[in-house]
Amino acid sequence: MSLTGKIVFWSALCAVLMGTFYEAATSSLLAWRQPVYIVAGFAGIAAMVFLLCQPLLIKGYVPDLPNAQARKIHRWFGGGLVVAIVLHVAGLWVTSPPDVVDALLFRSPTPFSVWGVLAMWAVFAAACVAVLRRRIGPRLWRVLHMILVTIVVGGSVVHAMRIEGSMGMTSKVILCGLVLGALIKTLVDFRGWRVMPRRRP
Amino acid sequence: MPENLFNRRSFLTIGGASVATVGSGLLVPARAKGLDPTPTMRGGANNYRPGAPVVSRIGGGGFWMTGTVRRAGDGAPLGGQRIQIWAHTTEGHERDKRSHGATLTDASGEFRLEMPQIVPAFGQAHGHLAYDSGDFETVFLRPVMRSSKDTSLRVHFVLKPA
């Protein structure tokens, strides 16, 4: 990558991250929220940021980062994503247990929680598949992981967009757009759909 | 006598007629004429605290929760009914005791209670209201504000005698 390319990549990424957290940190809603609720909100934002980083890492778009290194960070960020989601749900649970119980049982009145819970289970499943990839086999595990992360991204974007809460609207649209764009690019480039080996003629 | 009671034509005729009957609402059971009771909303009872005291205002006020209470069927206004109200506001969380209060309807079935500004919580700016006094069936409502900037919310109860 050219020097200009590198500068554009890092400054764009920094601008998105800083803008996202700045808009959330200056939200007027924070004044009326308990610390544990605020932590839950920021954990959700961190999860969305991980969703942007994951395809960039695994597709080798991060400048000057060798693939082996990028894969290692992808695995760490995957763990970070799971932790962020657990914090998000746990913090909301402490804030209002009946609302979280409703969401987890898919009987919540809010139309976005079902998408969030769907994305949560898909993240956990994608992480399990990744941990067990050697047993599952390389072809099947790649397809499974790809399908699951597609559900994760789709569910998370709908979840975030329909909520009035932790994220500012401008940064939410930008971050969700980038996450969706990165997913689409990864899907278009994905060559691993054929699960069974090709039969020789 | 035909061998088959159902051929393709009769099947399509009966099938089409059934769909039309159900679709046109002819199969809906006869309803008590007039106003249907308000059903409890999903999540309406979340963070409910039974027995909230009747107050002249919740906290510092600035936001108006208003509405009507009527009887199912004839729609007669119900006076003296106790409506309990709670929400996440600028002064406290839904679970906090200070966020809860109750008011009584006047003779025309209207209620009005001033409370602090409702702010979005769990993704939506919403309030909670309950009728739980026993003379009529219990109803829990969870209305969502059209905009979180709104400074009032109007809610209607139609109660069914218990």
Side-chain angles (χ1 to χ4, degrees):
Chain A
M1 195 184 274
S2 69
L3 183 62
T4 328
K6 288 177 201 172
I7 292 170
V8 168
F9 177 90
W10 286 113
S11 46
L13 191 63
C14 287
V16 168
L17 297 193
M18 282 162 62
T20 299
F21 284 104
Y22 177 80
E23 210 181 6
T26 53
S27 161
S28 58
L29 294 181
L30 295 181
W32 309 307
R33 293 183 172 200
Q34 303 150 292
V36 66
Y37 192 5
I38 294 172
V39 169
F42 275 90
I45 301 173
M48 193 61 96
V49 168
F50 279 128
L51 289 187
L52 174 60
C53 298
Q54 290 296 64
L56 299 181
L57 285 164
I58 210 66
K59 298 284 297 171
Y61 291 143
V62 181
D64 299 328
L65 192 64
N67 274 343
Q69 204 75 22
R71 268 168 207 284
K72 204 179 212 173
I73 299 174
H74 180 89
R75 285 198 281 271
W76 278 104
F77 276 19
L81 178 56
V82 170
V83 171
I85 287 165
V86 169
L87 276 178
H88 181 62
V89 176
L92 293 178
W93 190 306
V94 171
T95 304
S96 182
D99 286 312
V100 174
V101 171
D102 282 353
L104 293 176
L105 296 178
F106 293 104
R107 61 173 194 211
S108 172
T110 50
F112 43 80
S113 38
V114 55
W115 294 101
V117 173
L118 187 74
M120 175 190 82
W121 288 117
V123 162
F124 294 164
C128 286
V129 167
V131 169
L132 300 173
R133 63 191 180 279
R134 293 209 174 80
R135 286 199 198 172
I136 293 170
R139 285 172 188 273
L140 183 59
W141 112 258
R142 285 189 71 194
V143 171
L144 283 177
H145 196 70
M146 191 72 237
I147 291 170
L148 288 166
V149 300
T150 303
I151 297 170
V152 171
V153 169
S156 303
V157 167
V158 176
H159 176 70
M161 287 312 299
R162 301 193 70 169
I163 282 179
E164 181 171 7
S166 303
M167 292 189 79
M169 199 56 196
T170 315
S171 56
K172 182 157 67 181
V173 169
I174 294 172
L175 183 59
C176 286
L178 289 171
V179 168
L180 214 52
L183 172 79
I184 291 167
K185 172 79 177 132
T186 312
L187 275 173
V188 167
D189 293 349
F190 189 67
R191 291 283 173 264
W193 293 117
R194 190 176 290 275
V195 176
M196 303 304 292
R198 195 185 290 269
R199 210 188 301 165
R200 295 190 183 279
Chain B
M1 222 10 218
E3 286 265 317
N4 293 323
L5 279 174
F6 286 103
N7 58 22
R8 186 163 172 270
R9 182 179 294 169
S10 71
F11 184 77
L12 285 177
T13 314
I14 294 168
S18 314
V19 168
T21 311
V22 173
S24 64
L26 286 175
L27 273 184
V28 171
R31 255 180 281 188
K33 65 175 184 326
L35 218 51
D36 290 332
T38 313
T40 283
M41 292 178 176
R42 278 203 220 178
N46 288 359
N47 297 315
Y48 175 56
R49 297 176 74 102
V54 172
V55 291
S56 58
R57 193 174 63 198
I58 301 174
F63 182 95
W64 284 97
M65 186 72 88
T66 68
T68 60
V69 180
R70 287 180 294 163
R71 185 166 55 206
D74 62 3
L78 296 170
Q81 301 302 322
R82 186 162 158 274
I83 297 297
Q84 299 178 61
I85 296 167
W86 68 103
H88 185 120
T89 70
T90 52
E91 292 179 19
H93 186 268
E94 271 179 20
R95 288 164 83 186
D96 301 342
K97 202 175 173 188
R98 66 171 180 280
S99 302
H100 292 242
T103 189
L104 298 174
T105 55
D106 63 15
S108 61
E110 285 270 344
F111 67 89
R112 276 167 74 71
L113 185 61
E114 197 179 6
M115 59 189 291
Q117 175 66 40
I118 294 179
V119 290
F122 275 71
Q124 287 177 329
H126 66 277
H128 291 269
L129 299 95
Y131 168 84
D132 189 15
S133 303
D135 294 338
F136 297 87
E137 284 183 7
T138 297
V139 175
F140 287 101
L141 300 183
R142 183 191 176 281
V144 176
M145 284 152 63
R146 292 170 73 89
S147 157
S148 55
K149 305 276 186 292
D150 289 353
T151 55
S152 67
L153 186 57
R154 196 158 170 77
V155 183
H156 303 288
F157 284 84
V158 177
L159 300 178
K160 186 177 163 195

